[in-house]
Amino acid sequence: MLENYESLAASCPIVEDLRWETELVWINPEKKPWAEGAKEINLTLADIDDAEVRLARFAPFLMAAFPETLPAGGVIESALTPVPTLGKRLGEKYGSRLEGRLLLKQDSHLAIAGSVKARGGIYEVLKHTEDLALEHGLLSGVEDDYTKLATPEARAFFSQYTVQVGSTGNLGLSIGIMSAAVGFQVIVHMSADAKQWKKDLLRQHGVTVMEYSSDYSEAVKQGRASSDANPKSYFVDDENSKNLFLGYAVAAKRLVGQLKNLDVTVDEAHPLFVYIPCGVGGAPGGIAFGLKQMFGDSVHVFFVEPTQAPCMLLGMATGLQNGIAVQNIGLTGLTHADGLAVGRPSGFVGKVMGPILSGEFTLRDEKLYDYMRDLLETEDIFIEPSACAAIQGPVMLNRFPESRAYLERNGLVERLPQATHILWATGGSLVPENIREEYVNTHL
Ligand SMILES: *Cc1c(COP(=O)(O)O)cnc(C)c1O
């Protein structure tokens, strides 16, 4: 516990509710109209465009290295699908009173890494690959043929270099699988929360997995130290990386066309609500930033965190950002949501989210499994426990007085029948069958 806990809780009362694991919604008091908020952020749409174009340059390489990406032309993208039967269930079982359309963004089924990390993680590895290839003449320029990077000669070149990352599991999978495919040596530093099957899968890809009995922040620290000691090693810094962030942001640009294909309008009269599970903040933060660039004030982004690890909420609400960890207020940081088991948020993301984020929901672990079964039973779609956190958003939006007040204050109540809600399903397709079975039978 913090020594000055009492004074912190006195100046920021929500801290006390977080401490006692109360499920809640926090409405962000710093949120600004997008026209103003955008000026406070020193990343722009041009940065997202740059990331999108870089990914397009790598499409031929991805098709060569991962034939599963052939049907989509080397573009790693997930489906956006209506889940009306789930919506009905949420109304009947939890009294969600949700109006409008409910959609599922299936990053759980992204090619190669089976999670949202296939966006940021893979993008960052490709960016590093391109930087090295241009610097050392493997590519003559960005117009060159990127399938050259999939040749044995290129692999031999990249094998002199190492990529390292600290992870609770999914980032390690994404960075590990992609780095190994390029030919890099890879070391993934896994926190205690990481699931055994994720470590096993990485080892099958030839990745070195270092295991720690400590939490995510410690795994990151060890990874950084190990990387810093090797001049040919590159460290993927999940807590501060702009590359990761921009890789995630590209999702929003692609969502525009997907919404059009479903005949979904997003404008002032047709608000869009998006609910994204949050760990350190990079993935939901990057996506939220992209969504704001695309839809401005018409989109309302909420993060969802476990009651034992609400690190982003704690950092933003207290204003202390990465200067505070959930352990400082007496929480353990331990949760069944392994992908969200982060005690200290990204300070970089917390600052960027200040003018953007609408708010955050928290949920208790037992809900993860209930929501998992709800989705499976109604839509026959499996997503992992961490990803199920998203469902807390539409279930509770109308039920917490604070989020209800947010709707009223922003003139949204009468627009709810024309609203669209997106659950961002952040992971699940790589979960082995026996572990799925175990999850489906878990009742906390
Ligand atoms: C990593 C992850 C998140 C959250 O991403 P952060 O960048 O850590 O905030 C959410 N869901 C799943 C399944 C994840 O693996």
Side-chain angles (χ1 to χ4, degrees):
M1 291 283 281
L2 279 181
E3 263 172 45
N4 62 349
Y5 177 82
E6 297 301 331
S7 68
L8 180 72
S11 63
C12 185
I14 202 167
V15 169
E16 187 71 1
D17 299 320
L18 292 175
R19 174 188 178 186
W20 297 113
E21 290 184 72
T22 316
E23 286 195 344
L24 50 81
V25 66
W26 168 75
I27 300 299
N28 174 18
E30 309 285 322
K31 180 171 178 273
K32 297 207 166 74
W34 174 238
E36 275 174 55
K39 292 192 205 128
E40 292 179 15
I41 301 169
N42 55 30
L43 291 167
T44 65
L45 182 56
D47 295 309
I48 306 179
D49 293 343
D50 179 59
E52 189 183 31
V53 171
R54 181 165 294 103
L55 286 170
R57 289 200 288 274
F58 271 96
F61 167 82
L62 289 173
M63 286 190 279
F66 296 95
E68 63 192 286
T69 66
L70 274 167
V75 176
I76 302 170
E77 193 45 73
S78 72
L80 177 69
T81 56
V83 283
T85 332
L86 173 69
K88 199 159 159 270
R89 163 78 63 99
L90 300 183
E92 289 163 0
K93 192 167 163 187
Y94 308 103
S96 63
R97 291 183 283 130
L98 198 67
E99 297 172 271
R101 288 180 87 174
L102 185 62
L103 307 177
L104 188 72
K105 180 60 177 158
Q106 297 189 36
D107 278 9
S108 45
H109 293 69
L110 278 172
I112 302 174
S115 83
V116 68
K117 305 297 193 309
R119 299 184 182 281
I122 287 175
Y123 174 70
E124 175 136 7
V125 172
L126 296 179
K127 166 107 176 43
H128 180 56
T129 301
E130 184 181 67
D131 289 345
L132 283 174
L134 290 170
E135 185 187 339
H136 294 273
L138 274 75
L139 293 171
S140 58
V142 295
E143 274 76 44
D144 205 346
D145 173 9
Y146 277 47
T147 58
K148 281 183 186 169
L149 301 177
T151 58
E153 297 73 38
R155 286 187 61 82
F157 167 79
F158 290 117
S159 70
Q160 313 164 62
Y161 296 90
T162 303
V163 173
Q164 305 197 44
V165 66
S167 172
T168 62
N170 283 340
L171 184 63
L173 277 183
S174 147
I175 301 278
I177 295 172
M178 183 50 70
S179 299
V182 172
F184 291 118
Q185 310 288 327
V186 202
I187 307 175
V188 175
H189 302 261
M190 290 282 206
S191 63
D193 310 282
K195 303 288 183 203
Q196 189 59 42
W197 68 265
K198 292 182 182 174
K199 298 176 195 168
D200 296 342
L201 184 59
L202 277 174
R203 290 191 173 116
Q204 280 165 30
H205 281 265
V207 172
T208 304
V209 179
M210 305 290 287
E211 301 177 59
Y212 302 93
S213 55
S214 47
D215 77 349
Y216 166 81
S217 302
E218 186 62 23
V220 170
K221 206 168 117 196
Q222 297 282 348
R224 184 180 285 122
S226 159
S227 189
D228 287 351
N230 174 357
K232 286 198 159 174
S233 175
Y234 179 81
F235 183 64
V236 177
D237 184 352
D238 195 17
E239 291 170 327
N240 297 293
S241 169
K242 298 216 163 52
N243 291 326
L244 276 175
F245 188 84
L246 292 169
Y248 290 122
V250 171
K253 289 199 73 177
R254 297 181 179 158
L255 195 74
V256 175
Q258 294 189 311
L259 285 167
K260 277 210 184 88
N261 287 342
L262 292 173
D263 281 325
V264 171
T265 306
V266 179
D267 59 23
E268 207 186 339
H270 302 80
L272 176 65
F273 294 83
V274 183
Y275 311 94
I276 321 174
C278 178
V280 73
I287 294 167
F289 171 67
L291 288 169
K292 279 290 170 188
Q293 290 287 348
M294 294 300 115
F295 304 110
D297 293 323
S298 303
V299 67
H300 305 268
V301 186
F302 291 88
F303 292 172
V304 190
E305 292 183 296
T307 48
Q308 274 294 351
C311 66
M312 183 58 70
L313 200 172
L314 181 64
M316 289 184 72
T318 58
L320 295 171
Q321 308 293 359
N322 58 343
I324 189 165
V326 299
Q327 288 80 3
N328 295 146
I329 63 163
L331 295 170
T332 61
L334 299 176
T335 162
H336 283 243
D338 55 330
L340 317 180
V342 179
R344 189 183 294 279
S346 159
F348 151 63
V349 173
K351 278 190 210 109
V352 175
M353 289 303 105
I356 287 184
L357 194 67
S358 292
E360 283 224 28
F361 292 89
T362 63
L363 89 170
R364 298 176 64 95
D365 278 10
E366 57 264 29
K367 296 273 186 72
L368 300 168
Y369 297 99
D370 291 341
Y371 292 155
M372 170 185 298
R373 283 182 285 268
D374 289 328
L375 179 62
L376 195 60
E377 287 162 16
T378 57
E379 305 281 349
D380 198 23
I381 298 171
F382 172 86
I383 63 176
E384 66 187 83
S386 302
C388 297
I391 300 175
Q392 178 80 340
V395 166
M396 297 309 293
L397 181 73
N398 278 306
R399 293 182 50 197
F400 282 124
E402 297 87 349
S403 41
R404 217 25 226 188
Y406 173 91
L407 297 175
E408 281 160 14
R409 210 168 44 244
N410 289 285
L412 293 164
V413 174
E414 54 276 19
R415 294 177 180 150
L416 288 179
Q418 297 88 256
T420 299
H421 303 265
I422 297 182
L423 298 163
W424 212 282
T426 44
S429 65
L430 292 190
V431 177
E433 194 50 51
N434 60 322
I435 310 279
R436 282 185 199 207
E437 198 79 3
E438 202 181 296
Y439 285 160
V440 170
N441 292 310
T442 299
H443 297 264
L444 298 183

